[in-house]
Amino acid sequence: MEQNILDCIIVGSGPSGFTAAIYAARADLKPELYTGLEPGGQLTTTTEVDNFPGYPDGITGPAMMLDLQKQAERFDTKVHYEMITKTEFSTEKGGIHKLWAGNKEILARTVIISTGATAKYLGLDDEKKYAGGGVSACATCDGFFYKGKDVIVVGAGDTAAEEATYLAKLTNKVTMLVRKDVFRASKAMIHRVENTANIEVKFNHELIGIEGENALVERAVVINNQTQETSKIDVHGIFIAIGHKPNTEIFAGQINLDENGYIITVPGSTFTNLPGVFAAGDVQDHIYRQAITAAGSGCMAAMDAEKYLAELD
Ligand SMILES: Cc1cc2nc3c(=O)[nH]c(=O)nc-3n(C[C@H](O)[C@H](O)[C@H](O)COP(=O)(O)OP(=O)(O)OC[C@H]3O[C@@H](n4cnc5c(N)ncnc54)[C@H](O)[C@@H]3O)c2cc1C
């Protein structure tokens, strides 16, 4: 029996994947979506989402992602709770792409990659203990909750410097913990940090523990790695800003990635270097990294896929 060829397969179930599914399904592409190991994506790891339009009272991340899934399924998106483990993309326009979920082979004319990115953490048990209770990897998402309070930013690069200057506008005081005796950030960003009155930089300092009550952060335990002296800083929020890792390992060598592993898309579109393969959401965006921008590019990917298929006919 001849194997079915899908018009559209969507890899990933975050806001970009489910938005792509809603648009692709309504365009009659009969999309099949593979959720991967984290159905619902990054937002399932957070509590309040206050900045996604359409929820005037806010919503929890898991509830919002269930809403998106329900909406995608209303238009007959088929959701598979499986992980794509291997891909073999065609390089020809109109070619058939091959993907595998374990031993299952899937053929598709278009592929929308929306596998997201994963925020890097330090690996402390306390980060997990206080996740959603003061530990965050996103100042734009969670900074608002610490208005007028004291916070810590861990990191030395441009992202950390940006998060610190953003938080300095909202909070009472930002303490930056920099592991070495220098920043890794660009000169311009260092200059911004140095010229912000309520940022204190502690070089050669590392976060080694978190203390609090009722799973809410109250203190950071830090060590001076030169003197080995430990101390405690009273804070409500701890922002880990040591980078993100795009989930692109299985595509490496097949699709153009930038030096940090993000999929390169043609600006203003979701086209990759491969015909019929599109990328949406955090997997191709190291700048905005928001649910709404991920959803927006998911919509673009479905429209780009639909147009690509229409041009083949
Ligand atoms: C703690 C936290 C709080 C946040 N709060 C907010 C907020 O308040 N507001 C906001 O706008 N943004 C927030 N963000 C950012 C937001 O979550 C992301 O920008 C958004 O989820 C990105 O969506 P995405 O669709 O690109 O991918 P993700 O949400 O990263 O989802 C990726 C998906 O791909 C799947 N996947 C990965 N590999 C495979 C594979 N091989 N096969 C199949 N599937 C695969 C995963 O299982 C997952 O479902 C927050 C992020 C974090 C971590």
Side-chain angles (χ1 to χ4, degrees):
M1 202 177 74
E2 217 170 273
Q3 199 179 340
N4 182 34
I5 302 173
L6 303 178
D7 272 342
C8 179
I9 179 171
I10 298 167
V11 188
S13 56
S16 61
F18 277 130
T19 306
I22 293 165
Y23 276 78
R26 295 186 80 248
D28 212 21
L29 303 189
K30 300 185 174 48
E32 301 206 4
L33 180 148
Y34 283 73
T35 66
L37 295 180
E38 193 175 51
Q42 291 176 61
L43 281 186
T44 58
T45 66
T46 191
T47 46
E48 286 307 302
V49 178
D50 263 350
N51 54 9
F52 199 87
Y55 293 104
D57 302 320
I59 183 160
T60 68
M64 185 182 128
M65 291 315 302
L66 277 180
D67 278 353
L68 278 175
Q69 177 166 350
K70 272 193 226 152
Q71 195 171 349
E73 286 178 327
R74 179 154 76 92
F75 302 109
D76 290 337
T77 300
K78 199 162 175 193
V79 176
H80 300 264
Y81 292 91
E82 287 170 88
M83 168 125 180
I84 295 299
T85 46
K86 193 176 128 187
T87 55
E88 213 176 274
F89 295 128
S90 165
T91 53
E92 305 287 322
K93 187 164 183 185
I96 304 301
H97 305 290
K98 290 185 185 169
L99 299 92
W100 285 265
N103 292 329
K104 181 170 79 177
E105 189 187 62
I106 306 146
L107 305 180
R109 290 188 181 83
T110 67
V111 181
I112 296 178
I113 301 176
S114 51
T115 48
T118 310
K120 290 185 194 161
Y121 287 89
L122 300 166
L124 304 173
D125 286 341
D126 285 345
E127 286 171 314
K128 288 190 199 121
K129 187 170 165 192
Y130 293 96
V135 174
S136 171
C138 176
T140 315
C141 312
D142 297 330
F144 180 83
F145 301 119
Y146 303 97
K147 260 189 171 171
K149 298 187 174 161
D150 290 357
V151 298
I152 276 180
V153 171
V154 179
D158 276 338
T159 307
E162 242 168 65
E163 303 260 286
T165 48
Y166 176 84
L167 288 164
K169 292 190 201 117
L170 296 171
T171 61
N172 178 53
K173 181 181 172 188
V174 179
T175 304
M176 277 189 90
L177 301 182
V178 176
R179 192 155 48 99
K180 297 196 173 154
D181 58 358
V182 282
F183 277 113
R184 268 191 306 105
S186 61
K187 280 209 173 91
M189 284 312 301
I190 297 172
H191 187 71
R192 276 176 64 186
V193 168
E194 288 172 345
N195 284 289
T196 306
N198 61 339
I199 299 181
E200 181 190 355
V201 183
K202 282 183 178 291
F203 290 106
N204 296 313
H205 276 72
E206 296 176 38
L207 180 74
I208 55 167
I210 301 168
E211 293 178 354
E213 294 237 343
N214 303 322
L216 293 176
V217 171
E218 291 181 1
R219 276 171 305 279
V221 186
V222 304
I223 186 166
N224 178 326
N225 57 28
Q226 297 298 296
T227 62
Q228 306 308 317
E229 198 183 318
T230 60
S231 54
K232 294 184 183 179
I233 305 174
D234 288 341
V235 285
H236 287 95
I238 296 178
F239 290 83
I240 311 293
I242 55 173
H244 284 74
K245 197 172 91 44
N247 301 319
T248 52
E249 290 92 341
I250 59 165
F251 313 119
Q254 298 179 55
I255 195 165
N256 285 350
L257 305 177
D258 72 11
E259 69 276 14
N260 295 314
Y262 286 88
I263 296 178
I264 299 172
T265 48
V266 176
S269 80
T270 63
F271 289 96
T272 67
N273 63 309
L274 297 173
V277 180
F278 307 89
D282 285 14
V283 74
Q284 51 84 57
D285 168 21
H286 58 92
I287 298 174
Y288 299 105
R289 290 197 295 248
Q290 292 296 291
I292 187 67
T293 47
S297 65
C299 154
M300 288 164 66
M303 292 177 74
D304 286 342
E306 202 266 327
K307 191 156 177 266
Y308 168 85
L309 288 168
E311 280 169 6
L312 293 181
D313 287 343

